[in-house]
């Protein structure tokens, strides 16, 4: 999960997931909404084949943040608020 600056709300969380299981980002977001307050739910949730690594083999969060900030559009639509 990477926090990104957002002009409207201050910060927003973006989740980047990898793995073999077939995950539906919208379903995952809805499941998280059942247990977490709205401000803690990542939006969007993106599936990736791999995450960038630094020289030490750790996930390169700086590279991820730069990549996300450069994106004009995300792969997941925003979650709808529950009634």
């Amino acid at each position: 999960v990477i926090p990104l600056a957002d002009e409207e709300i201050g910060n927003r969380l973006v989740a980047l997931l990898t793995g073999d299981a077939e995950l539906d980002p919208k379903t995952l977001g809805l499941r998280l909404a059942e247990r977490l307050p709205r401000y803690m739910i990542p939006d969007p949730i993106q599936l990736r084949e791999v995450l960038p690594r630094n020289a030490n083999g750790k996930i390169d969060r700086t590279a991820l943040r730069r990549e996300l900030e450069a994106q004009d559009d995300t792969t997941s639509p925003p979650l709808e608020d529950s009634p």
Side-chain angles (χ1 to χ4, degrees), residues 2-79:
I2 304 286
L4 291 181
D6 187 297
E7 292 178 13
E8 294 180 21
I9 61 172
N11 283 323
R12 66 184 173 103
L13 300 176
V14 177
L16 302 158
L17 306 173
T18 63
D20 295 334
E22 290 190 29
L23 295 173
D24 175 36
K26 186 170 183 164
T27 302
L28 181 57
L30 294 172
R31 292 277 183 130
L32 290 172
E34 293 173 359
R35 298 189 178 263
L36 297 174
R38 177 76 181 121
Y39 72 91
M40 294 180 76
I41 301 170
D43 187 22
I45 298 173
Q46 297 182 5
L47 300 178
R48 302 273 181 112
E49 287 190 27
V50 295
L51 296 175
R53 303 281 177 167
N54 63 22
N56 294 323
K58 296 179 181 180
I59 294 173
D60 192 340
R61 296 174 65 85
T62 303
L64 282 173
R65 184 172 286 111
R66 279 193 307 261
E67 187 178 316
L68 290 168
E69 289 172 348
Q71 288 180 354
D72 292 333
D73 196 16
T74 57
T75 57
S76 298
L79 295 175

